[in-house]
PDB file of all heavy atoms in Angstrom:
ATOM      1  N   THR A   2     -13.171  26.954  16.378  1.00 88.00           N
ATOM      2  CA  THR A   2     -13.762  26.371  17.590  1.00 88.00           C
ATOM      3  C   THR A   2     -14.730  25.246  17.240  1.00 88.00           C
ATOM      4  O   THR A   2     -14.721  24.170  17.849  1.00 88.00           O
ATOM      5  CB  THR A   2     -14.520  27.458  18.389  1.00 88.00           C
ATOM      6  OG1 THR A   2     -13.652  28.563  18.523  1.00 88.00           O
ATOM      7  CG2 THR A   2     -14.927  26.955  19.753  1.00 88.00           C
ATOM      8  N   ARG A   3     -15.574  25.492  16.235  1.00 91.00           N
ATOM      9  CA  ARG A   3     -16.572  24.469  15.892  1.00 91.00           C
ATOM     10  C   ARG A   3     -15.910  23.244  15.261  1.00 91.00           C
ATOM     11  O   ARG A   3     -16.394  22.122  15.425  1.00 91.00           O
ATOM     12  CB  ARG A   3     -17.678  25.055  15.018  1.00 91.00           C
ATOM     13  CG  ARG A   3     -17.249  25.431  13.624  1.00 91.00           C
ATOM     14  CD  ARG A   3     -18.342  26.211  12.925  1.00 91.00           C
ATOM     15  NE  ARG A   3     -18.051  26.291  11.502  1.00 91.00           N
ATOM     16  CZ  ARG A   3     -18.544  27.223  10.697  1.00 91.00           C
ATOM     17  NH1 ARG A   3     -19.334  28.170  11.166  1.00 91.00           N
ATOM     18  NH2 ARG A   3     -18.249  27.225   9.419  1.00 91.00           N
ATOM     19  N   LEU A   4     -14.794  23.471  14.546  1.00 92.00           N
ATOM     20  CA  LEU A   4     -14.090  22.324  13.956  1.00 92.00           C
ATOM     21  C   LEU A   4     -13.481  21.461  15.050  1.00 92.00           C
ATOM     22  O   LEU A   4     -13.523  20.224  14.995  1.00 92.00           O
ATOM     23  CB  LEU A   4     -12.988  22.800  12.994  1.00 92.00           C
ATOM     24  CG  LEU A   4     -13.443  23.518  11.724  1.00 92.00           C
ATOM     25  CD1 LEU A   4     -12.233  23.896  10.870  1.00 92.00           C
ATOM     26  CD2 LEU A   4     -14.388  22.653  10.920  1.00 92.00           C
ATOM     27  N   VAL A   5     -12.912  22.117  16.059  1.00 93.00           N
ATOM     28  CA  VAL A   5     -12.321  21.377  17.177  1.00 93.00           C
ATOM     29  C   VAL A   5     -13.422  20.626  17.936  1.00 93.00           C
ATOM     30  O   VAL A   5     -13.263  19.452  18.303  1.00 93.00           O
ATOM     31  CB  VAL A   5     -11.548  22.334  18.116  1.00 93.00           C
ATOM     32  CG1 VAL A   5     -11.080  21.597  19.364  1.00 93.00           C
ATOM     33  CG2 VAL A   5     -10.357  22.942  17.387  1.00 93.00           C
ATOM     34  N   ALA A   6     -14.564  21.304  18.107  1.00 93.00           N
ATOM     35  CA  ALA A   6     -15.693  20.642  18.791  1.00 93.00           C
ATOM     36  C   ALA A   6     -16.141  19.417  17.995  1.00 93.00           C
ATOM     37  O   ALA A   6     -16.458  18.366  18.580  1.00 93.00           O
ATOM     38  CB  ALA A   6     -16.846  21.631  18.947  1.00 93.00           C
ATOM     39  N   ALA A   7     -16.157  19.546  16.668  1.00 93.00           N
ATOM     40  CA  ALA A   7     -16.566  18.413  15.824  1.00 93.00           C
ATOM     41  C   ALA A   7     -15.565  17.264  15.951  1.00 93.00           C
ATOM     42  O   ALA A   7     -15.955  16.093  15.957  1.00 93.00           O
ATOM     43  CB  ALA A   7     -16.681  18.854  14.370  1.00 93.00           C
ATOM     44  N   GLU A   8     -14.290  17.598  16.076  1.00 93.00           N
ATOM     45  CA  GLU A   8     -13.281  16.539  16.223  1.00 93.00           C
ATOM     46  C   GLU A   8     -13.453  15.818  17.561  1.00 93.00           C
ATOM     47  O   GLU A   8     -13.307  14.597  17.635  1.00 93.00           O
ATOM     48  CB  GLU A   8     -11.865  17.128  16.114  1.00 93.00           C
ATOM     49  CG  GLU A   8     -11.503  17.629  14.721  1.00 93.00           C
ATOM     50  CD  GLU A   8     -11.524  16.531  13.656  1.00 93.00           C
ATOM     51  OE1 GLU A   8     -11.319  15.355  14.005  1.00 93.00           O
ATOM     52  OE2 GLU A   8     -11.776  16.850  12.491  1.00 93.00           O
ATOM     53  N   LEU A   9     -13.759  16.570  18.589  1.00 92.00           N
ATOM     54  CA  LEU A   9     -14.017  15.943  19.891  1.00 92.00           C
ATOM     55  C   LEU A   9     -15.247  15.044  19.810  1.00 92.00           C
ATOM     56  O   LEU A   9     -15.286  13.948  20.375  1.00 92.00           O
ATOM     57  CB  LEU A   9     -14.218  17.022  20.964  1.00 92.00           C
ATOM     58  CG  LEU A   9     -12.926  17.621  21.518  1.00 92.00           C
ATOM     59  CD1 LEU A   9     -13.213  18.884  22.320  1.00 92.00           C
ATOM     60  CD2 LEU A   9     -12.205  16.605  22.391  1.00 92.00           C
ATOM     61  N   PHE A  10     -16.251  15.520  19.071  1.00 94.00           N
ATOM     62  CA  PHE A  10     -17.469  14.732  18.893  1.00 94.00           C
ATOM     63  C   PHE A  10     -17.153  13.435  18.144  1.00 94.00           C
ATOM     64  O   PHE A  10     -17.666  12.363  18.488  1.00 94.00           O
ATOM     65  CB  PHE A  10     -18.507  15.565  18.134  1.00 94.00           C
ATOM     66  CG  PHE A  10     -19.850  14.901  18.022  1.00 94.00           C
ATOM     67  CD1 PHE A  10     -20.722  14.868  19.096  1.00 94.00           C
ATOM     68  CD2 PHE A  10     -20.244  14.298  16.845  1.00 94.00           C
ATOM     69  CE1 PHE A  10     -21.959  14.245  19.003  1.00 94.00           C
ATOM     70  CE2 PHE A  10     -21.472  13.673  16.733  1.00 94.00           C
ATOM     71  CZ  PHE A  10     -22.335  13.653  17.812  1.00 94.00           C
ATOM     72  N   LYS A  11     -16.301  13.541  17.131  1.00 92.00           N
ATOM     73  CA  LYS A  11     -15.888  12.346  16.376  1.00 92.00           C
ATOM     74  C   LYS A  11     -15.297  11.304  17.317  1.00 92.00           C
ATOM     75  O   LYS A  11     -15.606  10.115  17.232  1.00 92.00           O
ATOM     76  CB  LYS A  11     -14.783  12.717  15.369  1.00 92.00           C
ATOM     77  CG  LYS A  11     -15.252  13.172  14.029  1.00 92.00           C
ATOM     78  CD  LYS A  11     -14.029  13.338  13.122  1.00 92.00           C
ATOM     79  CE  LYS A  11     -14.349  14.231  11.962  1.00 92.00           C
ATOM     80  NZ  LYS A  11     -13.168  14.502  11.131  1.00 92.00           N
ATOM     81  N   LEU A  12     -14.424  11.775  18.206  1.00 91.00           N
ATOM     82  CA  LEU A  12     -13.779  10.851  19.143  1.00 91.00           C
ATOM     83  C   LEU A  12     -14.806  10.175  20.040  1.00 91.00           C
ATOM     84  O   LEU A  12     -14.749   8.969  20.277  1.00 91.00           O
ATOM     85  CB  LEU A  12     -12.796  11.615  20.028  1.00 91.00           C
ATOM     86  CG  LEU A  12     -11.403  11.888  19.496  1.00 91.00           C
ATOM     87  CD1 LEU A  12     -10.600  12.604  20.563  1.00 91.00           C
ATOM     88  CD2 LEU A  12     -10.690  10.608  19.090  1.00 91.00           C
ATOM     89  N   ARG A  13     -15.734  10.978  20.525  1.00 91.00           N
ATOM     90  CA  ARG A  13     -16.706  10.465  21.498  1.00 91.00           C
ATOM     91  C   ARG A  13     -17.685   9.486  20.884  1.00 91.00           C
ATOM     92  O   ARG A  13     -18.333   8.724  21.600  1.00 91.00           O
ATOM     93  CB  ARG A  13     -17.496  11.632  22.109  1.00 91.00           C
ATOM     94  CG  ARG A  13     -16.691  12.461  23.094  1.00 91.00           C
ATOM     95  CD  ARG A  13     -17.602  13.316  23.946  1.00 91.00           C
ATOM     96  NE  ARG A  13     -18.226  14.407  23.215  1.00 91.00           N
ATOM     97  CZ  ARG A  13     -19.515  14.505  22.964  1.00 91.00           C
ATOM     98  NH1 ARG A  13     -20.348  13.574  23.364  1.00 91.00           N
ATOM     99  NH2 ARG A  13     -20.004  15.546  22.310  1.00 91.00           N
ATOM    100  N   THR A  14     -17.833   9.519  19.559  1.00 93.00           N
ATOM    101  CA  THR A  14     -18.900   8.729  18.943  1.00 93.00           C
ATOM    102  C   THR A  14     -18.408   7.425  18.316  1.00 93.00           C
ATOM    103  O   THR A  14     -19.114   6.817  17.531  1.00 93.00           O
ATOM    104  CB  THR A  14     -19.647   9.576  17.886  1.00 93.00           C
ATOM    105  OG1 THR A  14     -18.678  10.178  17.017  1.00 93.00           O
ATOM    106  CG2 THR A  14     -20.478  10.637  18.550  1.00 93.00           C
TER     107      THR A  14
END
Side-chain angles (χ1 to χ4, degrees):
Chain A
T2 310
R3 69 190 193 202
L4 294 181
V5 173
E8 291 299 333
L9 279 167
F10 186 77
K11 272 186 200 175
L12 277 182
R13 287 197 289 113
T14 50

